[in-house]
Amino acid sequence: MAILRVLSFLSLIWLGSACDKEKKSEEESNSNIPVLQVYAAASLLDVLQEMAPLFESKYQSKLDFNFAGSQILARQITHSLGADIFISANPYWIDEVELLGRMVEGTRKEVISNSLTMVASAASEQNVFSGVEKLCQANFEALVLADPNYVPAGKYAKAWLEAVDCKEASAWELWKDKLVPTQDVRQVVNLVKEKQGAVGVVYGSDVLASEGLKILIQPDAQNYPAISYVAAAIKKNDIVSSASHFLDFLQSDEARALFLKHGFRSPKNNTQS
Amino acid sequence: MSSLLGVPLVLPPTAVGFLMLKLFSEYGWLGGILSAWNINILLNWKAVILAAGVMSFPLVFRSLKIAFDSLDRELLLYHQSLGYSPLHTFIGLVVPLLKYPMFAAFLLGFTRALGEFGATVSIAGNIPGKTQTLSSAIYSAGQGGNDNAAYMLMAFSLVIGFASIFISEILAGNTKLEKK
């Protein structure tokens, strides 16, 4: 009886995967439009969704997105063959993918930059920090960051807090016990909006993308490592030529304008400052 | 009411998590009232228990209901006609009769709670040493490339899982014997 159950379960899985294959081959034969699988950092969600129709109509191709923390995407890419393009919110996870031989060499491109912002819920009683001194005196219950061990937004945020000198210790040392780590930067926004006494550090673009946030302080760009979104083509069995089109498109003036509209910063400005 | 409490069984856990995050939002009405009484739920151990409880309740409830429905009502009436109070009937008669299915129901709830991820991460976060559960610890270890820790935790959950199935099979066998 138990064996029957296991067998029927396995056959269901097999049926499911067979259906999947049929669907795929149908899609391929029905249209010659190439489909690009784009694995992109969670913070790029809004801007890339607005950008997709522009690219799709210009290059007669289709973009499929997979948004998550860059570390999750890097993990998925090194374990599967799905992705054509990877856009990481820092160079680190592209390096990892390259080290494991999954990156198409010579395709790495710096796309855009961003800024850091400390936020709380718009309904929060937390006062705006007028400067580093006020920031050091801050009293809150939870410091919500994308997990600083893995997630780019959290790594940048931790680097900034470590550089904030609060006399005896850095702001990071003062607050690390209050850390609430999340899987990606958008989850920081979700939690900060509902939790009293919580502050979070997110990208400047996230503040534009979400309602109900109050900006507490915007640190100077010199005080944290330059935020760098890096894109690269990923090795796959069937080579999609439009991958390089998309990489070029990401650096085009058209795309740049959209990035800036969504609160991103151009990489040059950041390195100058 | 029973269908409302059964909803977590059919909704994606992340949907339940999102709903609870909005419901217990400390800037919202319910969460606001609670936090006025100094009961803060989000991002601490209370949220872990709440998420696990809400998500596993329907399973426990359904299994218990099937067990209770199988009881002979007349038997209960006979017992009460001897002068026993309903509470006494429950403790003295119902519990001994249904001890195996009841334990199986709680075991089912326990394993469901152990596997809970979506709702827990949404309202309790994944704070090491505070709100991190077995599921979210495996997730963190896996995504951070800490494969050894992930394997260890996975092995641990396998042991618990097998033990639960084993125990529940024995219990199911016992109930069958008693019916004969």
Side-chain angles (χ1 to χ4, degrees):
Chain A
M1 194 55 204
I3 293 170
L4 262 181
R5 260 186 242 157
V6 170
L7 276 180
S8 60
F9 180 63
L10 286 179
S11 64
L12 268 178
I13 293 178
W14 178 78
L15 265 178
S17 61
C19 285
D20 226 34
K21 271 182 200 159
E22 264 172 35
K23 212 176 125 195
K24 261 194 187 165
S25 59
E26 255 175 44
E27 270 175 13
E28 277 162 15
S29 60
N30 278 355
S31 61
N32 292 319
I33 295 181
V35 179
L36 266 185
Q37 306 286 339
V38 180
Y39 286 29
S43 46
L44 295 166
L45 187 130
D46 309 82
V47 65
L48 286 189
Q49 278 176 343
E50 196 176 329
M51 202 179 283
L54 296 178
F55 177 80
E56 286 170 349
S57 60
K58 200 167 179 177
Y59 289 94
Q60 296 299 309
S61 50
K62 197 179 171 312
L63 298 177
D64 275 354
F65 290 112
N66 175 15
F67 293 107
S70 303
Q71 82 290 355
I72 299 173
L73 299 173
R75 203 79 176 134
Q76 289 170 351
I77 287 166
T78 52
H79 285 80
S80 70
L81 288 170
D84 296 300
I85 300 277
F86 177 30
I87 314 176
S88 168
N90 66 9
Y92 179 85
W93 290 110
I94 291 268
D95 292 345
E96 287 289 294
V97 168
E98 187 176 16
L99 267 178
L100 291 163
R102 300 279 296 117
M103 196 188 99
V104 183
E105 273 157 45
T107 59
R108 174 199 284 251
K109 288 202 158 99
E110 185 171 15
V111 176
I112 200 75
S113 182
N114 213 331
S115 57
L116 287 183
T117 307
M118 184 177 255
V119 292
S121 163
S124 157
E125 287 164 10
Q126 184 68 252
N127 288 322
V128 173
F129 304 125
S130 51
V132 172
E133 274 182 25
K134 284 277 181 325
L135 180 65
C136 286
Q137 293 161 6
N139 187 21
F140 52 82
E141 281 168 40
L143 173 67
V144 190
L145 301 183
D147 194 329
N149 290 319
Y150 325 109
V151 195
K155 287 182 176 233
Y156 294 124
K158 184 185 171 189
W160 165 52
L161 293 173
E162 278 175 338
V164 174
D165 183 14
C166 296
K167 285 170 192 160
E168 306 97 64
S170 69
W172 171 255
E173 284 295 323
L174 287 180
W175 299 333
K176 64 180 180 190
D177 292 338
K178 296 176 178 177
L179 177 69
V180 176
T182 67
Q183 312 151 46
D184 62 57
V185 70
R186 289 298 162 97
Q187 188 65 17
V188 176
V189 175
N190 292 341
L191 289 177
V192 160
K193 278 205 288 196
E194 316 300 344
K195 174 78 184 167
Q196 271 186 19
V199 302
V201 179
V202 297
Y203 293 125
S205 58
D206 297 315
V207 181
L208 274 189
S210 21
E211 290 167 7
L213 288 179
K214 179 201 278 186
I215 294 175
L216 298 179
I217 190 166
Q218 287 176 304
D220 284 339
Q222 297 115 307
N223 297 337
Y224 52 86
I227 296 170
S228 175
Y229 288 80
V230 183
I234 300 302
K235 280 183 194 162
K236 218 177 172 183
N237 293 337
D238 44 341
I239 295 152
V240 186
S241 60
S242 50
S244 60
H245 289 312
F246 186 64
L247 287 172
D248 290 337
F249 181 78
L250 284 172
Q251 289 185 315
S252 67
D253 291 343
E254 209 178 354
R256 180 65 50 91
L258 261 183
F259 275 122
L260 296 180
K261 181 188 145 200
H262 281 266
F264 291 82
R265 296 197 175 171
S266 37
K268 279 177 196 161
N269 287 356
N270 240 19
T271 45
Q272 271 170 8
S273 61
Chain B
M1 191 64 187
S2 84
S3 54
L4 180 71
L5 291 169
V7 161
L9 197 61
V10 293
L11 271 189
T14 44
V16 178
F18 177 76
L19 268 174
M20 288 202 289
L21 181 66
K22 293 295 168 189
L23 189 64
F24 290 101
S25 164
E26 288 164 14
Y27 300 109
W29 67 271
L30 180 62
I33 294 170
L34 288 172
S35 73
W37 291 340
N38 259 337
I39 305 172
N40 291 313
I41 295 194
L42 299 180
L43 299 181
N44 60 48
W45 58 271
K46 285 169 239 162
V48 180
I49 293 174
L50 186 75
V54 166
M55 292 309 295
S56 52
F57 177 81
L59 269 182
V60 179
F61 179 79
R62 278 174 177 252
S63 332
L64 284 180
K65 191 167 181 298
I66 292 167
F68 285 130
D69 286 347
S70 73
L71 273 183
D72 188 349
R73 282 178 191 268
E74 282 186 30
L75 191 66
L76 304 185
L77 290 176
Y78 289 146
H79 195 261
Q80 285 187 23
S81 73
L82 296 174
Y84 292 112
S85 71
L87 182 68
H88 202 282
T89 305
F90 182 76
I91 294 168
L93 187 68
V94 176
V95 171
L97 275 177
L98 296 182
K99 61 179 183 254
Y100 295 125
M102 278 169 101
F103 188 73
F106 287 117
L107 204 63
L108 203 59
F110 171 73
T111 45
R112 176 70 187 85
L114 207 65
E116 215 312 294
F117 180 76
T120 310
V121 167
S122 303
I123 64 169
N126 180 3
I127 313 173
K130 285 177 191 159
T131 66
Q132 190 161 62
T133 64
L134 185 58
S135 311
S136 53
I138 292 176
Y139 183 79
S140 287
Q143 76 170 28
N146 195 351
D147 282 5
N148 285 339
Y151 278 127
M152 290 273 286
L153 291 164
M154 186 202 64
F156 182 63
S157 25
L158 264 178
V159 170
I160 297 182
F162 271 123
S164 309
I165 292 177
F166 186 67
I167 295 171
S168 65
E169 293 279 326
I170 291 175
L171 291 178
N174 271 341
T175 27
K176 269 180 208 155
L177 284 180
E178 276 193 5
K179 270 184 189 162
K180 280 176 195 168

